[in-house]
Every structure is written in C-alpha cells, then in structure tokens.
C-alpha cells in the first residue's frame, strides 16, 4: 500500500525512480525490481510511463545468505569474544568491529588510525613487537600470532592474543586483516597455576626424600631432585624409563612386584625397609608407595617416596657392635674380678699358712725351708700380678694404634728369635704366607699372638711325632685370616671347648703349663676388633684361626 502511494507521487512529479517488490503465488515468491521513467512527446509533454521490470529473486536470495552469514559471524564473535580488524593499505583506513572496540574499552563511534591502534599496546616490549609484526606483514607478507599486553582506554592493563594476515594481489599487499581476543583472565590463571606448580616443585625438590610418580607400566613420569641425584642422571634421562632401564634385574623385579601390588590391589606400602644396589653401592631406604588416581577416580599409577636410612642403619650396626663390645667387656670384667679374687685369695691363704708355720717352728732347718717357700710364694704372686697387669693393659690401653704390617716378615722375625727353642725339639715350620699380605695390627700384639700360638704348638707336642707347624694366611674382603696348625696332642673340645681361652685353664699335665697365653692372645686380638677360633682333634693336632679386622 505504501509502495503504491510512493509510486503515484513519483509519477506525478514526472521523475524516474525504481521500486523493489515481490509477487507470491502457488509456485512461490518472486522478487522483482521495476524502473519507472516519464514518456514525453515531441513537445516535452508527459504522455505516459516507461516501465522495465527485472527478476532479482536470485540476487535477493544471495543478499539473504550474506546477511545470514554476517549474523553467524557476529554471533561467533560475541560468543568467542574475538574481535576482528582490517587495514586497507591504499586508503590507510583501519576498521575495528564492535568486539575489538569493546576489548579496548572505546565507544562504538571510535574510528582509530594505525598510530592510535599501536599506541594502545603497552610501551616497551609489546608496542615494539606489534609495530615490527605489522610492518613485516605489509613489507614481507608474513602472518603473525602472538600474545601481548594492551592498556585500554580506561587505563587497565590486559593480555590479548592478536593475529595478522596479509592479503596479496599480484604480489603486492593490499590489506592486512586479523583478530584480537582478550586472554587476560586465562593468562592470569595460567600464571597462578605456574606459580603453584613452581611452589610445589620447590617444596618437593627440597624434601630430604626421593619422590617419584609412575604410570601403570611403572615408567617414571615425574621425579624430584633427590631421585635424580641418587640415580645420577638428569630428569630428562630418567622420565619415561622403568626400573629395568635403571637398576639390575633382581632389584627391578622386586620393585615391579611392589608396584603391581599397589596399583592392582590398591594396597599402599608404608614405611617398608628396602635395599637397592646401584652403581655398586647398596643404599637402605624406608619406602612408601600409594595409588595415584586420575580425575575420574581410576588408578593411573602410583606415588613413591623413599627416605635414605643408610646412615641410620650404619649407626644401628655401630650401636649393636658397641653393645656387643660392652657386654663382652662387662663379662670380661666379671671374669677378671673372679680371677683376681680367686688368685689373690689363694696367694693370701698360702702366705698366712706359711707365716703361721714359721711362727710355730723352732727348728732352724725347717724355718729355712719355710722361708724359701715364702720367697717362692712371693715370686708366684709377683708373676700373677704381672699377668694380671698385662690383661689390664690390653683392655684399657686406648693409646695404641694399629699399623699396616707385612705378616710374613713378622712371622719370620718371631721364628728367628725363637729358633733355639724350635731347634731343641727338632720342630719343622712350613710358612705358606704370601709376601704381600698385610694386616692392620698393633706390632707388639702381633708378635705376642704369633709367639704364643707357635710356642703352644711346640709345648704340647706329641711324644711320638716331631713337631710340625703349618702357617697359612688368606686375604678377603672381610680381612685377613691367619691359620696356625700343629700335629700335637690336640684338645678335647667337647670337654674343654668353653674353657679353652679362659685364664689359667690348662688341659694337659705339663709342669710348665700356666693357662695364660691363650687368654692373653684372645684379649689382644679382640682389643684390635678381631676374633680367634679353634679346631682340634685329640692326638691329631690343633688349628687356631685368627681373624684380623682391617679397619684401622
């Protein structure tokens, strides 16, 4: 109706015009454009109207499609909060969409120049960077995509992601278009996450523990500095590797079985003592492993923590040794007290009895005999005191120090000093000790040990065999073992085994038997951290095994 009124008015004014209209029927709707022009006669009088009508249905449909696409684009821009911009090089015209203006906090009527647009970027790195990228896009036809900071019209600093792409015709850049998106909240959130990750990483790396995370195949996907330091490889070299790639097969098998127990049965391992040998060194750990779950609550691996307790285990060993030594020393003290009490009491009783006899005796000859007995008793007491003094000296003298001594040289020296005694009984010595074997020992103690064991071998020789003494030495990781064997009388160990190293314990009817040598040897070797054992068969011989502790 309105179009009809406009047409009539235009026709009365005798002016040309066009009109778009549509016609609907059962076949659909058609769009048309009619052109109206006055029809003049020879005298310039209007005698009619010339009308030309074109079918523009296809053109209208294309316009609707473009409008629909434009609406979709605007919707996407609004939803994604991504603005676009375009720069025409020929006209130097810069166009911003509404979203781009919103990001910059400028009104919709704002039409920026390129200089004004660049000035929105924060002075320094961001402004220099965008200027360089924009220049390269025009001159070198290079696209770009980067994150920079802008200062909005309201003075607020915001992180944005900008892209730019040149449009080229005939080898020349005719325009540059791109996008801009506000990513400030995302960047701030990422920075916060990175800060928390850094804090957590610093905390985990600072723990006096080996911390690691494994996947379902027992591959390490995260480790701390402690674990990296222990394995002696960088984190990059360890990530993705399992225990079979790092440790020996036995250690790796045990670890894998533990991992399966934790991940399959969801059974944590808490505070388990483990020992791992790596690069030839065994380390004791207190290990805990717990299941590691993903966001859906499914197990996706495990978290492991190991505390190196090697120093604690060493201290425990030292404490056990100290308790053992203390207990042994305490027992020695008790035994020594009994020995002193018994021996001195015996000497005292002997003296008292002889003195009583001397007082009551008037016969000069008998008194002289008793006086000689008193003199002998005095000598015996002095010898006993000397023996006891040697024992006290061995157990209390902490100033003596062990030295590295060639064992064979010291044996030869003792044999030379003792040659007259050995030759007297036609003794045969076979010395198999190697020239290069050394022992950490107190020199005086080593001489005493060798002398006492060899003299005993000769002293308790068989009456039907010439003395044969065989000396051997073996060096191992644990230390040096010295063996001295003879073919003498032997000792009934079932009967005397627990008394063989006792003070003043004798097992053969020999006039010169005193039972002190083996007791002294045992005290001397134990004072140096070693030990002594005996093997013996009656009438076949005896072997003494001396174990030297090689710790200086």
């Amino acid at each position: 109706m309105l179009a009809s009124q406009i047409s009539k008015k235009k026709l009365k004014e005798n002016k040309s015009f066009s009109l778009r209209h549509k016609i609907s029927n059962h076949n659909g709707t058609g769009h048309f454009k009619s052109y109206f022009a006055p029809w003049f006669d020879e005298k310039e009088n209007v005698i009619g109207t010339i009308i030309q009508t074109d079918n523009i249905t296809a053109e209208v449909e294309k316009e609707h499609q473009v409008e629909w696409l434009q609406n979709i684009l605007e919707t996407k821009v609004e939803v994604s909060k991504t603005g676009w911009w375009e720069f025409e090089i020929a006209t130097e015209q810069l166009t911003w969409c509404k979203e781009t203006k919103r990001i910059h906090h400028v009104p919709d009527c704002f039409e920026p120049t390129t200089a004004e647009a660049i000035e929105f970027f924060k002075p320094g790195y961001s402004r220099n960077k965008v200027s360089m990228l924009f220049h390269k896009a025009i001159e070198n036809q290079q696209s770009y995509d980067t994150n920079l900071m802008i200062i909005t019209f309201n003075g607020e600093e915001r992180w944005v992601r900008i892209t730019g792409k040149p449009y080229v015709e005939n080898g020349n850049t005719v325009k540059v278009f791109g996008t801009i998106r506000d990513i400030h909240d995302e960047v701030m959130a990422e920075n916060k996450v990175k800060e928390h990750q850094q804090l957590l990483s610093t905390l985990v790396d600072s723990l006096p523990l080996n911390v690691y995370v494994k996947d379902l195949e027992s591959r390490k996907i995260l480790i701390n500095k402690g674990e990296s330091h222990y394995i002696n490889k960088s984190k990059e070299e360890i990530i993705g590797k399992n225990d079979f790639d790092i440790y020996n097969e036995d250690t790796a098998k045990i670890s894998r079985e533990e991992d399966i127990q934790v991940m399959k049965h969801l059974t944590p391992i808490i505070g388990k003592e483990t020992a791992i040998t790596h690069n030839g060194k065994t380390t004791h750990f207190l290990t805990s492993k717990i299941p590691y779950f993903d966001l859906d609550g499914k197990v996706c691996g495990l978290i492991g923590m190991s505390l190196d307790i090697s120093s604690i285990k060493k201290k425990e060993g030292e404490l056990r040794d100290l308790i053992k030594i203390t207990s042994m020393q305490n027992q020695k003290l008790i035994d020594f007290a009994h020995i002193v009490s018994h021996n001195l009491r015996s000497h005292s009783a002997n003296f008292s009895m002889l003195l009583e006899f001397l007082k009551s005796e008037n016969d000069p000859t008998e008194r002289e005999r008793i006086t000689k007995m008193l003199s002998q008793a005095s000598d015996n007491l002095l010898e006993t005191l000397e023996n006891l003094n040697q024992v006290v000296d061995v157990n209390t003298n902490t100033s003596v120090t062990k030295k590295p001594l060639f064992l064979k040289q010291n044996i030869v020296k003792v044999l030379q000093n003792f040659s007259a005694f050995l030759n007297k009984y036609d003794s045969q010595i076979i010395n198999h000790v190697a020239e290069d074997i050394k022992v950490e020992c107190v020199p005086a103690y080593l001489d005493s040990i060798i002398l006492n064991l060899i003299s005993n071998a000769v002293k308790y020789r068989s009456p039907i065999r010439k003395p044969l003494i065989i000396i051997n030495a073996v060096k191992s990781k644990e230390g040096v073992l010295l063996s001295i064997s003879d073919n003498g009388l032997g000792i009934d160990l079932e009967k005397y085994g627990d008394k063989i190293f006792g003070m003043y314990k004798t097992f053969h009817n020999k006039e010169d038997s005193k039972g002190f040598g083996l007791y002294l040897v045992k005290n001397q070797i134990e004072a140096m951290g070693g030990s002594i054992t005996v093997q013996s068969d009656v009438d076949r011989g005896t072997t003494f095994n001396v174990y030297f502790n090689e710790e200086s």
Side-chain angles (χ1 to χ4, degrees), residues 7-248:
S7 299
K8 288 179 180 180
K9 183 179 179 182
K10 294 286 187 180
L11 289 171
K12 288 180 180 180
E13 295 175 351
N14 295 326
K15 294 181 178 179
S16 297
F17 65 94
S18 63
L19 183 68
R20 297 176 69 163
H21 56 95
K22 61 183 178 179
I23 298 175
S24 300
N25 54 35
H26 64 280
N27 293 322
T29 300
H31 295 269
F32 302 90
K33 187 174 184 179
S34 296
Y35 299 90
F36 297 88
W39 184 11
F40 296 94
D41 60 10
E42 295 85 351
K43 296 180 179 180
E44 300 296 329
N45 294 316
V46 176
I47 60 174
T49 303
I50 300 171
I51 304 174
Q52 177 183 338
T53 301
D54 297 328
N55 189 336
I56 62 169
T57 301
E59 183 181 337
V60 170
E61 288 178 351
K62 287 183 180 180
E63 289 177 354
H64 287 166
Q65 187 176 10
V66 170
E67 184 180 354
W68 179 74
L69 291 174
Q70 185 69 29
N71 288 335
I72 290 177
L73 178 61
E74 289 180 359
T75 301
K76 286 185 176 180
V77 167
E78 185 177 349
V79 171
S80 67
K81 295 183 180 180
T82 302
W84 58 267
W85 57 270
E86 185 178 80
F87 177 69
E88 294 279 353
I89 293 177
T91 61
E92 294 188 354
Q93 181 180 357
L94 177 63
T95 303
W96 281 0
C97 73
K98 287 184 178 180
E99 182 63 21
T100 301
K101 293 176 180 179
R102 188 195 66 78
I103 290 172
H104 288 78
H105 296 171
V106 296
D108 291 345
C109 61
F110 181 73
E111 299 297 334
T113 65
T114 54
E116 290 173 332
I118 289 174
E119 285 182 357
F120 272 100
F121 287 86
K122 186 176 180 179
Y125 174 79
S126 292
R127 187 175 295 178
N128 294 342
K129 184 74 173 179
V130 74
S131 300
M132 179 187 69
L133 293 173
F134 188 66
H135 176 77
K136 286 185 176 181
I138 297 173
E139 297 297 327
N140 302 332
Q141 299 172 359
Q142 292 183 3
S143 300
Y144 59 86
D145 183 347
T146 189
N147 298 340
L148 297 174
M149 184 172 281
I150 64 170
I151 300 177
T152 68
F153 185 75
N154 297 334
E156 184 180 353
E157 293 185 355
R158 307 284 296 181
W159 281 99
V160 294
R161 180 177 181 180
I162 60 168
T163 66
K165 184 174 183 179
Y167 181 74
V168 182
E169 287 184 355
N170 300 322
N172 296 317
T173 305
V174 295
K175 67 170 67 176
V176 181
F177 59 91
T179 61
I180 181 170
R181 185 165 70 89
D182 188 329
I183 59 169
H184 188 76
D185 293 340
E186 296 173 25
V187 171
M188 290 297 101
E190 287 178 4
N191 289 343
K192 204 70 177 176
V193 170
K194 288 179 182 177
E195 288 177 4
H196 289 160
Q197 287 177 338
Q198 181 63 33
L199 177 61
L200 182 60
S201 177
T202 302
L203 178 62
V204 172
D205 281 340
S206 300
L207 292 173
L209 301 168
N210 294 6
V211 181
Y212 50 86
V213 180
K214 294 182 178 179
D215 63 13
L216 293 173
E217 300 300 322
S218 289
R219 292 183 294 255
K220 292 185 177 179
I221 57 176
L222 185 148
I223 63 170
N224 73 337
K225 283 185 179 179
E227 180 74 354
S228 174
H229 178 74
Y230 171 69
I231 298 175
N232 197 27
K233 290 185 178 180
S234 67
K235 291 184 179 181
E236 291 74 20
E237 291 177 294
I238 299 172
I239 296 301
K241 302 289 180 64
N242 59 34
D243 289 330
F244 288 94
D245 299 321
I246 299 170
Y247 305 115
N248 62 56

Side-chain angles (χ1 to χ4, degrees), residues 308-325:
D308 187 343
I309 58 170
S310 299
S311 59
I312 297 175
K313 296 293 289 185
K314 184 179 179 181
K315 293 293 183 185
E316 284 181 357
E318 291 174 354
L319 182 59
R320 281 195 297 269
D321 291 342
L322 181 60
I323 292 173
K324 182 180 178 181
I325 291 171

Side-chain angles (χ1 to χ4, degrees), residues 290-302:
I290 59 175
Y292 173 42
F293 299 94
D294 60 19
L295 295 177
D296 297 325
K298 296 180 180 178
V299 64
C300 60
L302 62 82

Side-chain angles (χ1 to χ4, degrees), residues 5 163 192 194 205 239 246 249 278 307 338 376 392 395 430 451 465 480 523:
Q5 292 175 354
T163 66
K192 204 70 177 176
K194 288 179 182 177
D205 281 340
I239 296 301
I246 299 170
E249 186 174 356
H278 183 58
L307 174 64
H338 285 309
Q376 183 62 46
V392 171
N395 287 283
I430 300 176
L451 177 63
R465 295 184 293 271
V480 174
N523 277 266

Side-chain angles (χ1 to χ4, degrees), residues 359-470:
K359 286 180 183 178
S360 59
E361 186 59 57
N362 295 319
D363 183 28
T365 304
E366 188 65 23
R367 286 179 65 86
E368 184 179 354
R369 188 178 71 83
I370 294 173
T371 302
K372 288 180 179 180
M373 292 175 65
L374 281 170
S375 179
Q376 183 62 46
S378 175
D379 291 341
N380 291 339
L381 177 58
L382 288 174
E383 183 181 358
T384 298
L385 291 175
E386 179 61 29
N387 290 341
L388 294 176
N389 186 59
Q390 286 187 56
V391 175
V392 171
D393 185 61
V394 169
N395 287 283
T396 60
N397 191 353
T398 59
S399 62
V400 293
T401 55
K402 294 197 289 183
K403 298 177 181 178
L405 303 172
F406 284 103
L407 184 57
K408 187 166 187 176
Q409 290 181 8
N410 280 267
I411 293 172
V412 170
K413 181 183 70 174
V414 171
L415 293 175
Q416 289 173 346
N417 295 336
F418 206 45
S419 59
F421 178 77
L422 296 172
N423 293 332
K424 179 180 179 181
Y425 298 102
D426 201 12
S427 305
Q428 182 183 0
I429 308 294
I430 300 176
N431 187 358
H432 288 309
V433 178
E435 297 281 354
D436 60 342
I437 292 182
K438 286 184 177 182
V439 291
E440 291 287 339
C441 197
V442 179
Y445 290 180
L446 180 59
D447 290 347
S448 173
I449 292 167
I450 297 169
L451 177 63
N452 274 289
L453 293 180
I454 291 177
S455 65
N456 274 2
V458 177
K459 186 185 296 182
Y460 301 108
R461 63 195 176 278
S462 170
I464 61 175
R465 295 184 293 271
K466 292 180 179 181
L468 173 63
I469 302 168
I470 301 173

